[in-house]
Amino acid sequence: MWLVDMSLNSAETAPTAWWARAPAIVLDVAVGTALLYFLGWVRTDATYRTLNVNVSMLSLNPAVYVYRGFIVLLPAILLLGFIVVVASALHRRFVVRTPDTHKGQGRVRRALIAIRSAGWLGLTTTATATIAVVSQGGAPPYWLPYVLAASSAALGYADQSAAAKTHKGGRSRGVRASALVVLSVAGTLMIIMSYAERLGVQQGQQFLATAQDQPTVTLHTKERLSIAGAGVKVVRMTDEGSEFHYRYTGLVLLIRSGDDYLLAPRGLTPDSPRPVFVVPRDKGRLDLGTW
């Protein structure tokens, strides 16, 4: 009878525990989705900025940004997981398995001092570079987020290892640990954002380099439009019974955004001007896949 009561009590408490975790699960999913959307937006903005298109002109589905953000975040997660596995293996090899003798403790203490010194040196360098960049109004160097993330993680590891050895903690150590976690996360996020932007720029440059190999589109319009560029030709149609009176060739389709077509000359190169033509769908007919 006692066993039956215990099973009933456990069955009653399980749904309560699940519902108690539901808000946290929803919050984690929302934060993760927002992060993916943001990284996808950074990548997309870099791509179309390279093509002389403002991302605000695009009417892309939010799922597109989330998917592109996932493509950006996946390699970062794999690399971060590899670093954590290697760091954990080194910690077990040189710290956990170190004999608890005077000589072993001295070796661990010297290693922690070296790690802490490197961490403080990195944070000092990061702060100095940030102040210099802000005072001059320039762009931060590419290495700054890497040094920030690595230095913060090194200091956090040294503090946690020292606290585990001495069994000392306290409120001040907790505040410092939280600050180091924030700095490490900020540096990691900056690294991922830089990777997303680099990936977007590379995609835009690849399109410019291969624009002449892309299938062209033929645009038929009722009125003559201000469309001109390398390889673009316009012909006045003589068929009076046709709905369209002008035909443009030598164009490539950048993207279809809502009710607009974004077109560019097929003769684009990385060093040439990059005109973009926005043509509403109701002002013309687009024939895709022609050469």
Side-chain angles (χ1 to χ4, degrees):
M1 187 67 181
W2 179 76
L3 293 176
V4 174
D5 292 340
M6 288 296 294
S7 63
L8 291 176
N9 291 336
S10 62
E12 292 176 356
T13 56
T16 304
W18 184 88
W19 284 111
R21 293 195 302 269
I25 295 174
V26 173
L27 180 61
D28 292 342
V29 171
V31 171
T33 304
L35 177 62
L36 292 177
Y37 180 92
F38 175 70
L39 294 176
W41 180 90
V42 171
R43 174 187 169 182
T44 305
D45 177 67
T47 298
Y48 287 98
R49 189 173 64 246
T50 305
L51 301 174
N52 197 25
V53 177
N54 194 323
V55 73
S56 62
M57 300 169 56
L58 307 180
S59 300
L60 297 179
N61 192 305
V64 175
Y65 290 112
V66 173
Y67 172 74
R68 294 181 179 182
F70 175 76
I71 298 301
V72 171
L73 193 60
L74 182 60
I77 292 177
L78 295 177
L79 178 60
L80 184 61
F82 174 77
I83 294 175
V84 169
V85 170
V86 172
S88 178
L90 293 176
H91 174 76
R92 290 180 60 84
R93 171 65 179 83
F94 295 103
V95 177
V96 176
R97 296 181 181 178
T98 298
D100 194 13
T101 60
H102 180 73
K103 182 177 180 181
Q105 291 179 356
R107 187 169 63 185
V108 172
R109 191 181 306 111
R110 288 191 296 272
L112 292 179
I113 291 174
I115 294 173
R116 185 175 286 109
S117 300
W120 280 116
L121 177 61
L123 285 185
T124 302
T125 303
T126 301
T128 304
T130 302
I131 294 174
V133 167
V134 171
S135 62
Q136 298 178 1
Y142 73 93
W143 50 262
L144 191 144
Y146 295 90
V147 175
L148 176 62
S151 302
S152 303
L155 283 174
Y157 168 76
D159 288 347
Q160 291 296 323
S161 298
K165 288 290 183 181
T166 60
H167 303 287
K168 293 181 180 180
R171 184 174 181 179
S172 60
R173 186 178 293 276
V175 172
R176 174 170 163 176
S178 299
L180 290 175
V181 169
V182 170
L183 291 176
S184 182
V185 171
T188 304
L189 182 59
M190 291 170 62
I191 293 172
I192 299 175
M193 288 172 56
S194 176
Y195 171 69
E197 184 164 0
R198 237 180 9 254
L199 193 64
V201 171
Q202 289 175 358
Q203 186 176 2
Q205 291 176 343
Q206 182 180 7
F207 183 90
L208 290 174
T210 60
Q212 297 182 5
D213 300 327
Q214 300 291 330
T216 63
V217 297
T218 301
L219 175 65
H220 302 268
T221 62
K222 301 176 183 179
E223 302 175 353
R224 189 181 182 100
L225 304 179
S226 298
I227 295 179
V232 178
K233 297 180 181 179
V234 57
V235 177
R236 176 72 165 86
M237 307 298 294
T238 58
D239 187 0
E240 297 296 336
S242 175
E243 180 183 1
F244 303 102
H245 306 296
Y246 294 92
R247 182 178 64 197
Y248 294 86
T249 58
L251 296 167
V252 291
L253 178 65
L254 295 180
I255 191 172
R256 175 179 169 181
S257 177
D259 293 332
D260 297 331
Y261 294 112
L262 272 65
L263 307 172
R266 189 185 183 189
L268 281 176
T269 63
D271 300 325
S272 68
R274 303 168 192 177
V276 175
F277 315 113
V278 181
V279 180
R281 290 177 57 191
D282 57 359
K283 287 192 174 181
R285 188 190 76 209
L286 207 66
D287 295 337
L288 303 176
T290 57
W291 273 267

